[in-house]
C-alpha cells in the first residue's frame, strides 16, 4: 500500500513525551489518489503502531497495525514520515516539523525496544549448535539406512544377475533369450543408479559438516552486529530526545547573559563582530551560518524612524465581523457537470459555485493590503535601503493568505467595483474595478494618509498542464511614497495549483521578483523556491538581497512566504570557495537578522470558513453608501456566503447570461458603426482610464478620480445596472 500527498493536521492531542510506553496523536495517512490524505488517530504501544478513524474506534475497530520491530522508518520532507513493513509502505504527515520529529523519536525508541525484546527470545548460539548437531545425527542415521538398503539391493541384484545368467545358458527360444538379456541390463543399470544415489548423499553430508561451522561463525557475527546497531540507535534516539527537550526548555534570549571582562579582552584582537552571520552570494546559495551574539555587541539594523509606531494602535476602531456562516458540506458530481459541457467553448461552461469561495477577484486583490502597516512603517524610514526591505516584506506578505485557499474567487463582471474604506481606522482608501472582460483585467488604486499611494493593473493568464494549473499574473505594481518621492515597481510570481485531477489541492508560489526604486535605482532580488519532493530546504522558502545603484549588497532577506521575512544588514563581504558550478562565492558577514513581517494567526474555526483571514472575513460585510456595482451587492456571491448554494448557482447563471447579452449588443453596435463608417469607442471603465506609464513605458489603467466624491454626494446615477 503506497501512500503520499499533501495536507496538514492538528497537533497531537495530549501525547506524552517520546520515549514513554504509549504515544498517541492525530496524523494524516495517505489513502489513494482520489481521497489523498485522511486524518487518523494513531496509537504507539508495545512496539506496535495502530491507527483508527476516530478515538472512539479504539474500543472496537482497528484500521491497521504496523510492527515496528520489522519496519523501516524514513523521512521525506519537513512533515512526512514513511514506514515500510512487510512489503507495504505507509506515508504519514504531521502538522509541523516539530511534531513530525516527536513522532520519529517515539517510533525509533519503540523500534529499538521491540528489536531488543524480540532478540531476548531468540535461541542462543549454544542452542543453535545443538540443533545443528542433532540434525546432522539424523542425517547420518538416514544415510546408514540408505547404505543398508544399498547393500541389500546389491546383494539381491547380484543373485538376480546370476539367475539370469543361468537362464541364458539354457536352451530357450531366441525371443526369450533376448528378453532375458534386456532384463539383465536393466538390473545392472539399477544397481549403478543406487550406488550413485548413496555416493551423492554421502557427499552432501560431508559438505553439511564442513559448512555448518562456517555458517555458525557468520551467524554469530551478524547477531553481534545487530545488537551493536540496536544499542547505537537507542542511544542516539535518547540523545535526540534529550536535546529536543533541552531546546524547548532553553531561554529564547541567550544574549542576556553577561560576558566576563577577561573574555572581552580576548575578543578585542578579532576582526569579526560576535553578533554576525555569514551568507553566501545569491547566485550560488542563500544558506548562512549563525554566530551567537552578546548584548554588548548588539547593533541597530533599522533607523529609529522606521520603528516608530506613531500611536495608531491607541485609536478606537470600528468593530468588524469575525466570522461568516460555515461552509456547507455539499457533495459534487463532476460527471454531472462535464457531460453537459461536451462540445462547448471553455469560457462558456457554467461552473457551479461549489468550486468558489464567496469573494470576488477584486476582493482577493484588495487582500494585498492585509499588512498595510509595513507600508506605513516604510513611509517613516529615512533610509531608502531600509525602506526597500519593508517594501520587499510587503510584496511577500500578499501571498500568505493563499496557502490554504484552494477555492477560486468569483470572476468579476465587467464594470464591477469594490471599495475598502479604512481611512478612519488605518488611514487608507482602496478602489478596484473590472476594466476588461476578455482578457480579464482589474485596476486597483490605494491612497493612504500615512504617506503612500499604490496602484496596479492585473491581468490573469493561466495554463492547464495536466496535473496542475499555472496562474501567471501579468502587470506591474507601483508604490510611491509622498515625502521622498521613491517610486517602487515590481511584478507578481507564478502561482501553481497542484492535484487538479485527483488528490488534495495545494498551492505553491515560484519565480523571481525584482523590485526597483526608479528614483534611486536601488534594487531587491527575491527568489521564491518551488516546492520539491526531494529537497531538504524549508518549504515555501524565500530569499533575497537588497543592493544600491552600484550593485553593492546591503541587506540579506530570508524567510517563507507563508510565515515571516527577516532582514540582516551586511557589514562585510569577502570572496569564498568555489560553488557547485565552479563560480567563486561571495560570503557576506551580517548582523543578526531582524523580523520585518510575521503572518497573523488565522481566526478560530477558519477551516470551516474557507480559511479566511481576519481581513477577508470583513470584505463582504455590508457597508452603507457603496457604489451600485460593488461586489458586496452581487447576489450569487451573497447567497453562497449564506449557504444557499442552489440559489447561488441559479443567480450565477442569470448574471453570466445577462453579461453575455450585453456583450452581444456591443458587438452588434460595433458592427453597425463599421458598416456606417463611424468610429465605435467601445466599453470605457467608469473610474479608471488608460495612459502610458512614464516609468515602465507600458499602457495601463490608472485612477481618474471621482469615486469618493460621488460617494459623499451619494450620486451613483452614472453606474450601470450589472446585477
Amino acid at each position: 500500500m503506497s501512500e503520499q500527498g499533501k495536507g496538514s493536521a492538528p497537533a497531537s492531542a495530549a501525547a506524552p513525551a517520546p520515549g514513554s510506553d504509549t504515544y498517541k496523536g492525530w496524523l494524516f495517512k495517505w489513502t489513494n489518489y482520489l481521497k489523498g490524505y485522511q486524518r487518523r488517530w494513531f496509537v504507539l504501544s508495545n512496539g506496535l503502531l495502530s491507527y483508527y478513524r476516530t478515538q472512539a474506534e479504539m474500543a472496537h475497530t482497528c484500521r491497521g497495525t504496523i510492527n515496528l520491530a520489522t519496519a523501516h522508518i524514513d523521512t521525506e520532507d519537513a512533515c512526512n514520515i514513511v514506514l515500510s513493513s512487510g512489503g507495504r509502505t505507509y506515508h504519514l504527515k504531521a502538522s509541523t516539523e516539530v511534531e513530525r520529529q516527536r513522532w520519529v523519536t517515539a517510533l525509533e525508541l519503540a523500534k529499538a525496544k521491540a528489536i531488543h525484546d524480540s532478540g531476548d527470545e531468540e535461541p542462543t548460539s549454544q542452542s543453535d549448535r545443538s540443533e545443528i548437531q542433532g540434525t546432522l545425527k539424523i542425517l547420518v542415521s538416514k544415510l546408514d539406512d540408505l547404505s543398508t538398503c544399498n547393500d541389500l539391493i546389491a546383494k539381491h541384484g547380484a543373485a538376480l544377475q546370476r539367475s539370469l545368467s543361468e537362464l541364458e545358458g539354457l536352451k530357450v527360444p531366441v525371443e526369450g533369450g533376448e528378453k532375458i538379456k534386456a532384463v539383465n541390463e536393466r538390473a545392472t543399470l539399477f544397481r549403478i543408479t543406487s550406488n550413485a544415489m548413496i555416493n551423492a548423499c554421502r557427499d552432501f553430508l560431508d559438505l553439511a559438516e564442513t559448512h555448518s561451522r562456517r555458517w555458525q561463525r557468520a551467524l554469530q557475527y551478524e547477531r553481534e552486529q545487530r545488537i551493536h546497531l540496536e544499542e547505537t540507535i537507542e542511544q542516539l534516539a535518547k540523545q535526540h530526545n534529550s536535546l529536543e527537550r533541552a531546546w524547548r526548555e532553553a531561554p529564547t534570549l541567550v544574549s542576556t547573559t553577561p560576558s566576563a571582562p577577561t573574555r572581552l579582552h580576548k575578543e578585542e584582537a578579532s576582526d569579526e563582530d560576535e553578533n554576525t552571520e555569514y551568507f553566501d552570494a545569491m547566485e550560488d546559495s542563500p544558506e548562512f551560518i549563525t554566530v551567537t551574539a552578546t548584548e554588548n555587541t548588539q547593533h541597530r539594523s533599522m533607523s529609529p524612524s522606521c520603528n516608530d509606531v506613531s500611536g495608531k494602535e491607541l485609536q478606537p476602531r470600528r468593530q468588524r465581523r469575525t466570522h461568516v456562516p460555515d461552509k456547507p458540506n455539499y457533495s459534487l458530481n463532476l460527471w454531472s457537470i462535464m457531460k453537459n459541457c461536451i462540445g462547448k467553448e471553455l469560457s462558456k461552461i457554467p461552473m457551479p459555485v461549489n468550486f468558489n469561495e464567496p469573494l470576488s477577484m477584486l476582493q482577493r486583490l484588495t487582500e494585498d493590503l492585509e499588512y498595510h502597516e509595513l507600508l506605513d512603517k516604510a513611509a517613516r524610514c529615512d533610509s531608502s535601503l531600509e525602506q526597500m526591505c519593508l517594501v520587499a516584506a510587503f510584496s511577500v506578505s500578499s501571498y500568505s493568505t493563499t496557502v490554504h485557499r484552494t477555492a477560486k474567487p468569483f470572476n468579476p463582471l465587467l464594470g464591477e467595483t469594490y471599495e475598502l474604506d479604512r481611512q478612519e481606522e488605518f488611514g487608507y482608501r482602496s478602489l478596484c474595478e473590472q476594466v476588461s472582460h476578455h482578457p480579464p483585467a482589474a485596476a486597483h488604486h490605494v491612497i493612504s494618509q500615512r504617506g503612500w499611494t499604490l496602484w496596479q493593473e492585473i491581468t490573469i493568464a493561466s495554463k492547464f498542464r495536466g496535473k496542475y494549473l499555472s496562474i501567471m499574473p501579468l502587470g506591474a505594481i507601483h508604490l510611491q511614497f509622498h515625502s521622498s518621492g521613491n517610486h517602487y515597481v515590481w511584478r507578481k510570481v507564478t502561482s501553481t495549483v497542484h492535484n487538479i485531477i485527483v488528490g488534495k489541492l495545494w498551492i505553491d508560489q515560484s519565480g523571481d521578483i525584482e523590485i526597483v526604486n526608479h528614483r534611486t535605482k536601488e534594487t531587491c532580488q527575491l527568489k521564491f523556491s518551488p516546492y520539491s519532493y526531494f529537497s531538504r530546504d524549508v518549504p515555501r522558502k524565500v530569499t533575497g538581497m537588497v543592493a544600491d545603484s552600484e550593485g553593492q549588497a546591503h541587506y540579506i532577506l530570508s524567510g517563507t512566504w507563508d510565515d515571516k521575512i527577516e532582514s540582516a544588514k551586511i557589514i562585510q563581504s569577502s570572496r569564498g570557495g568555489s560553488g557547485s558550478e565552479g563560480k567563486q562565492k561571495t560570503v557576506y558577514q551580517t548582523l543578526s537578522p531582524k523580523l520585518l513581517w510575521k503572518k497573523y494567526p488565522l481566526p478560530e474555526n477558519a477551516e470551516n470558513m474557507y480559511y479566511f483571514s481576519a481581513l477577508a472575513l470583513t470584505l463582504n460585510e455590508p457597508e452603507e453608501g457603496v457604489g451600485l456595482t460593488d461586489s458586496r451587492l452581487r447576489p450569487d456571491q451573497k447567497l453562497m456566503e449564506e449557504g444557499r448554494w442552489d440559489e447561488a448557482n441559479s443567480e450565477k447563471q442569470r448574471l453570466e447570461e445577462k453579461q453575455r447579452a450585453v456583450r452581444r449588443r456591443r458587438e452588434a453596435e460595433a458592427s453597425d458603426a463599421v458598416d456606417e463608417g463611424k468610429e465605435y469607442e467601445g466599453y470605457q471603465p467608469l473610474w479608471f482610464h488608460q495612459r502610458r506609464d512614464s516609468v515602465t513605458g507600458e499602457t495601463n489603467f490608472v485612477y481618474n478620480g471621482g469615486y469618493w466624491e460621488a460617494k459623499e454626494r451619494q450620486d451613483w446615477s452614472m453606474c450601470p445596472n450589472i446585477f
Side-chain angles (χ1 to χ4, degrees), residues 394-406:
F394 175 78
S395 70
V396 175
S397 70
S398 62
Y399 298 98
S400 63
T401 61
T402 66
V403 63
H404 298 298
R405 303 271 290 277
T406 54

Side-chain angles (χ1 to χ4, degrees), residues 108 161 176 226 228 323 397 403 447 451 486 500 570-571 585 621-622 719:
E108 292 286 5
Q161 282 184 322
R226 191 195 67 181
H228 175 68
H323 69 278
S397 70
V403 63
I447 185 167
N486 289 333
I500 294 293
I570 298 173
I571 57 176
K585 292 185 177 181
E621 189 175 12
C719 292

Side-chain angles (χ1 to χ4, degrees), residues 477-587:
I477 303 171
H478 296 256
L479 172 65
Q480 189 166 26
F481 291 98
H482 304 162
S483 59
S484 63
N486 289 333
H487 186 168
Y488 297 89
V489 180
W490 70 92
R491 301 173 190 273
K492 290 180 175 286
V493 297
T494 299
S495 300
T496 306
V497 184
H498 294 267
N499 291 346
I500 294 293
I501 303 300
V502 292
K504 186 173 182 178
L505 293 175
W506 61 280
I507 292 180
D508 193 23
Q509 314 288 346
S510 60
D512 298 328
I513 292 180
E514 182 184 40
I515 307 175
V516 180
N517 183 344
H518 285 272
R519 190 185 74 83
T520 65
K521 306 306 178 184
E522 295 162 348
T523 60
C524 175
Q525 304 289 338
L526 290 174
K527 179 178 179 60
F528 287 64
S529 300
Y531 174 82
S532 173
Y533 192 78
F534 304 100
S535 175
R536 295 182 178 272
D537 278 344
V538 177
R540 311 180 184 98
K541 184 178 181 180
V542 179
T543 53
M545 183 174 64
V546 176
D548 59 21
S549 58
E550 303 296 326
Q552 180 68 36
H554 288 266
Y555 288 92
I556 295 293
L557 306 179
S558 60
T560 58
W561 55 261
D562 68 325
D563 185 26
K564 66 180 179 180
I565 291 293
E566 297 176 329
S567 70
K569 184 176 177 61
I570 298 173
I571 57 176
Q572 187 178 345
S573 63
S574 60
R575 305 303 292 180
S578 297
S580 57
E581 299 179 0
K583 298 180 181 179
Q584 193 175 18
K585 292 185 177 181
T586 301
V587 179

Side-chain angles (χ1 to χ4, degrees), residues 202-425:
R202 184 173 289 108
D203 292 340
F204 170 77
L205 183 60
D206 293 337
L207 285 173
E209 289 177 338
T210 302
H211 288 285
S212 65
R213 292 186 291 274
R214 187 182 305 169
W215 293 339
Q216 287 174 1
R217 288 195 299 269
L219 183 63
Q220 181 63 23
Y221 174 79
E222 293 295 332
R223 188 174 284 114
E224 290 172 355
Q225 287 294 103
R226 191 195 67 181
I227 293 174
H228 175 68
L229 288 173
E230 289 171 1
E231 292 173 351
T232 303
I233 292 173
E234 185 174 5
Q235 187 176 6
L236 287 174
K238 289 179 179 178
Q239 289 177 356
H240 179 85
N241 189 28
S242 301
L243 288 173
E244 185 183 36
R245 187 165 54 251
W247 175 79
R248 290 198 302 267
E249 296 171 356
T252 56
L253 294 177
V254 182
S255 59
T256 57
T257 305
S259 299
T262 54
R263 183 180 177 185
L264 291 176
H265 291 306
K266 291 180 181 179
E267 292 172 347
E268 285 175 0
S270 175
D271 294 333
E272 299 173 352
D273 194 328
E274 217 184 3
N275 184 27
T276 59
E277 297 189 0
Y278 298 89
F279 290 77
D280 290 340
M282 285 295 294
E283 63 267 21
D284 288 320
S285 172
E287 299 297 332
F288 60 92
I289 302 171
T290 304
V291 180
T292 307
T294 58
E295 184 67 27
N296 52 10
T297 57
Q298 287 288 345
H299 297 265
R300 297 185 67 85
S301 63
M302 288 288 178
S303 60
S305 59
C306 287
N307 295 318
D308 181 25
V309 180
S310 74
K312 72 171 186 176
E313 300 296 332
L314 302 178
Q315 299 178 6
R317 298 180 182 177
R318 169 184 163 181
Q319 290 295 320
R320 303 280 179 179
R321 70 180 186 180
T322 58
H323 69 278
V324 296
D326 286 0
K327 178 181 178 181
N329 187 19
Y330 286 159
S331 60
L332 181 64
N333 188 341
L334 284 175
W335 173 243
S336 66
I337 299 169
M338 300 308 295
K339 68 180 181 181
N340 297 321
C341 302
I342 298 174
K344 293 185 179 180
E345 293 182 23
L346 189 62
S347 60
K348 296 182 179 180
I349 296 175
M351 300 302 289
V353 299
N354 305 56
F355 294 103
N356 290 60
E357 63 180 15
L359 290 178
S360 75
M361 189 63 201
L362 302 180
Q363 292 166 308
R364 285 291 288 268
L365 202 58
T366 306
E367 281 191 71
D368 287 359
L369 302 173
E370 176 98 27
Y371 300 93
H372 60 88
E373 64 272 10
L374 290 171
L375 301 184
D376 298 342
K377 189 176 179 181
R380 299 190 296 270
C381 279
D382 296 329
S383 166
S384 58
L385 291 169
E386 294 174 1
Q387 190 177 74
M388 175 70 85
C389 291
L390 291 166
V391 173
F394 175 78
S395 70
V396 175
S397 70
S398 62
Y399 298 98
S400 63
T401 61
T402 66
V403 63
H404 298 298
R405 303 271 290 277
T406 54
K408 95 183 250 301
F410 279 78
N411 292 327
L413 304 174
L414 186 61
E416 185 175 334
T417 61
Y418 182 75
E419 70 159 74
L420 188 67
D421 190 350
R422 294 290 192 268
Q423 187 166 282
E424 293 183 2
E425 298 159 273

Side-chain angles (χ1 to χ4, degrees), residues 11 30 54 56 62 69 85 102 131 170 174 217 311 325 381 433 516 530 543 598 608 687-688:
W30 177 259
T54 62
C62 177
S85 178
R102 290 175 181 163
E131 183 179 353
L170 298 177
V174 176
R217 288 195 299 269
C381 279
E433 182 179 4
V516 180
T543 53
K598 175 73 175 174
N608 295 320
W687 309 110
F688 291 81

Side-chain angles (χ1 to χ4, degrees), residues 13-211:
S20 59
D21 292 338
T22 303
Y23 194 68
K24 304 177 182 179
W26 290 105
L27 290 172
F28 269 106
K29 174 182 172 292
W30 177 259
T31 55
N32 53 52
Y33 282 103
L34 291 177
K35 296 183 178 179
Y37 271 112
Q38 296 294 318
R39 192 167 176 253
R40 297 289 184 262
W41 178 255
F42 280 81
V43 178
L44 174 59
S45 180
N46 297 326
L48 299 177
L49 181 64
S50 306
Y51 56 91
Y52 312 82
R53 285 186 178 176
T54 62
Q55 298 183 49
E57 278 194 350
M58 291 176 62
H60 52 82
T61 305
C62 177
R63 299 290 171 177
T65 301
I66 305 168
N67 185 0
L68 294 179
T70 58
H72 175 69
I73 304 171
D74 195 8
T75 54
E76 290 181 340
D77 57 18
C79 297
N80 279 40
I81 305 172
V82 181
L83 297 178
S84 303
S85 178
R88 305 177 69 180
T89 303
Y90 302 82
H91 289 254
L92 313 177
K93 182 178 280 290
S95 57
T96 63
E97 188 173 359
V98 173
E99 184 64 26
R100 190 281 305 269
Q101 194 55 52
R102 290 175 181 163
W103 271 103
V104 171
T105 302
L107 292 171
E108 292 286 5
L109 285 172
K111 177 181 177 180
K113 185 176 180 181
I115 293 175
H116 186 268
D117 293 343
S118 62
D120 293 341
E121 298 173 359
E122 293 180 0
T124 62
S125 301
Q126 184 62 38
S127 61
D128 288 342
R129 284 194 293 270
S130 300
E131 183 179 353
I132 293 173
Q133 294 298 332
T135 304
L136 289 174
K137 289 180 180 179
I138 294 174
L139 286 174
V140 170
S141 65
K142 295 298 181 182
L143 187 61
D144 291 338
D145 294 342
L146 287 172
S147 298
T148 303
C149 294
N150 181 64
D151 293 338
L152 291 174
I153 290 172
K155 179 180 178 181
H156 294 298
L160 178 61
Q161 282 184 322
R162 285 195 301 272
S163 299
L164 292 172
S165 299
E166 292 173 358
L167 286 174
E168 286 179 352
L170 298 177
K171 293 182 180 181
V172 294
V174 176
E175 183 179 353
E178 292 293 332
K179 287 185 179 180
I180 292 172
K181 186 177 181 180
V183 172
N184 193 10
E185 291 174 353
R186 290 177 183 176
T188 303
L189 182 63
F190 177 73
R191 186 178 61 182
I192 294 172
T193 304
S194 299
N195 290 333
M197 182 184 68
I198 295 300
N199 292 333
C201 291
R202 184 173 289 108
D203 292 340
F204 170 77
L205 183 60
D206 293 337
L207 285 173
E209 289 177 338
T210 302
H211 288 285

Side-chain angles (χ1 to χ4, degrees), residues 430-444:
S430 167
L431 176 66
C432 293
E433 182 179 4
Q434 186 76 359
V435 295
S436 173
H437 190 63
H438 289 293
H444 185 203

